Amino acid sequence: MSRPAAEARARARTFLAQTLSAEGNVLMLEHATRDEVVRRLASAGRAAPTKGSVAPGGAAAVEVTNARIAEAPDLEALAQLVASCSRCPLHAARKNAVFGEGAAEARVVCVGEAPGAREDETGRPFVGRAGRLLDRLLMSIGLPRTSVYICNVLKSRPPQNRDPLPEEVAACAPYLVRQLALIQPDVIVAFGAFAARTLLETKSALGRLRGRVHRYSGYPVIVTYHPAALLRNPGWIRPTWEDLQMVRRMLDGADESEARLG
Ligand code: SF4
């Protein structure tokens, strides 16, 4: 057999192996690029798996429109949408979506930035050291973790914990909007600059946002440091506690100026 013919037969065997392996959603890429394999599978009527296949965590992926999110009747239904969400590329690498947890009628909603590695592993917000610190801070104003609601702006982990991208926030924000509309808290606490800037649509530094009551859709918003930042800067724990005292005073009936003055 001539050398070109032998090479052609070898390529054909490789493609056959790739095609058969793809039936089990495994692509063998030894001698062909991924694009070549996808193109060949697509031409054979078997496009690469995208939407409508299986999302991380095993939930069936379906298109989640803004209207479906806005019409979710309760937190459980909304969580199911998040579990199958592929509205932005972050769904591809996540182990678990992190919807949020807590009391459905909580008076306080705590909003952070995005899941980290531990949250991605467990599917729960604010776990690990930062989560334990948050629990202690909440207890210092008489709020057990189970009495509040805790979530993030983004529901899927950005790779290497990088800052969320504007398009990711735009895709995910409707979930937070609906969570807040369903819970209707008395006070929202924005933990960290990212959550604060997203909720308040501002670019101001966190230091300029602390110490007063802001508004998001009519709900009072108090801004303070993220617990993960407190682990790196223990000197910020005291000012964070003071911010949370404002939350306590508002829950006890103080108006905004009284809450601010203490
Ligand atoms: S970050 Fe939000 S929009 Fe993006 S995939 Fe996760 S749940 Fe969907």
Side-chain angles (χ1 to χ4, degrees):
M1 187 186 304
S2 68
R3 189 168 173 182
E7 287 175 353
R9 288 190 64 170
R11 280 201 299 275
R13 276 199 302 273
T14 300
F15 174 56
L16 182 60
Q18 289 163 346
T19 303
L20 293 173
S21 297
E23 297 285 9
N25 289 330
V26 177
L27 296 181
M28 303 289 285
L29 301 177
E30 280 181 41
H31 301 291
T33 67
R34 181 187 185 281
D35 285 345
E36 283 176 316
V37 173
V38 170
R39 195 166 53 247
R40 289 167 181 173
L41 291 182
S43 67
R46 295 188 295 274
T50 53
K51 287 181 182 175
S53 96
V54 177
V62 294
E63 187 179 0
V64 183
T65 62
N66 285 351
R68 287 190 73 191
I69 295 171
E71 290 164 4
D74 50 38
L75 291 171
E76 199 170 283
L78 194 60
Q80 286 174 5
L81 294 181
V82 167
S84 62
C85 178
S86 57
R87 284 165 60 94
C88 83
L90 294 181
H91 81 280
R94 74 182 177 209
K95 292 178 181 160
N96 289 291
V98 182
F99 176 68
E101 66 182 25
E105 298 181 354
R107 296 185 68 196
V108 174
V109 172
C110 303
V111 182
E113 178 174 321
R118 286 284 295 144
E119 286 79 12
D120 185 51
E121 290 277 350
T122 61
R124 297 183 58 212
F126 283 91
V127 293
R129 288 178 67 212
R132 288 194 292 277
L133 179 54
L134 174 67
D135 293 352
R136 290 204 299 276
L137 288 165
L138 291 171
M139 278 305 295
S140 76
I141 57 168
L143 295 175
R145 182 179 174 112
T146 50
S147 72
V148 304
Y149 194 88
I150 301 175
C151 60
N152 288 300
V153 173
L154 288 193
K155 315 304 187 196
S156 305
R157 183 192 181 205
Q160 283 80 49
N161 296 343
R162 64 152 168 76
D163 288 346
L165 302 175
E167 54 269 31
E168 294 162 355
V169 175
C172 208
Y175 292 118
L176 177 60
V177 170
R178 188 63 184 148
Q179 278 174 309
L180 294 171
L182 287 167
I183 297 169
Q184 299 192 350
D186 292 336
V187 184
I188 298 169
V189 187
F191 284 94
F194 185 84
R197 289 177 184 154
T198 303
L199 283 169
L200 304 177
E201 296 186 39
T202 177
K203 293 183 177 171
S204 295
L206 185 138
R208 296 177 66 87
L209 298 171
R210 288 187 49 245
R212 57 198 164 102
V213 180
H214 304 266
R215 289 274 161 183
Y216 164 81
S217 279
Y219 302 112
V221 178
I222 306 249
V223 174
T224 194
Y225 295 105
H226 193 285
L230 301 183
L231 293 173
R232 298 189 296 270
N233 304 280
W236 292 352
I237 290 179
R238 174 82 195 184
T240 302
W241 180 81
E242 289 169 356
D243 294 334
L244 293 178
Q245 291 301 313
M246 291 176 60
V247 176
R248 182 70 264 170
R249 287 193 287 273
M250 293 203 75
L251 294 176
D252 291 342
D255 64 24
E256 292 181 14
S257 57
E258 291 168 338
R260 185 175 176 179
L261 295 173

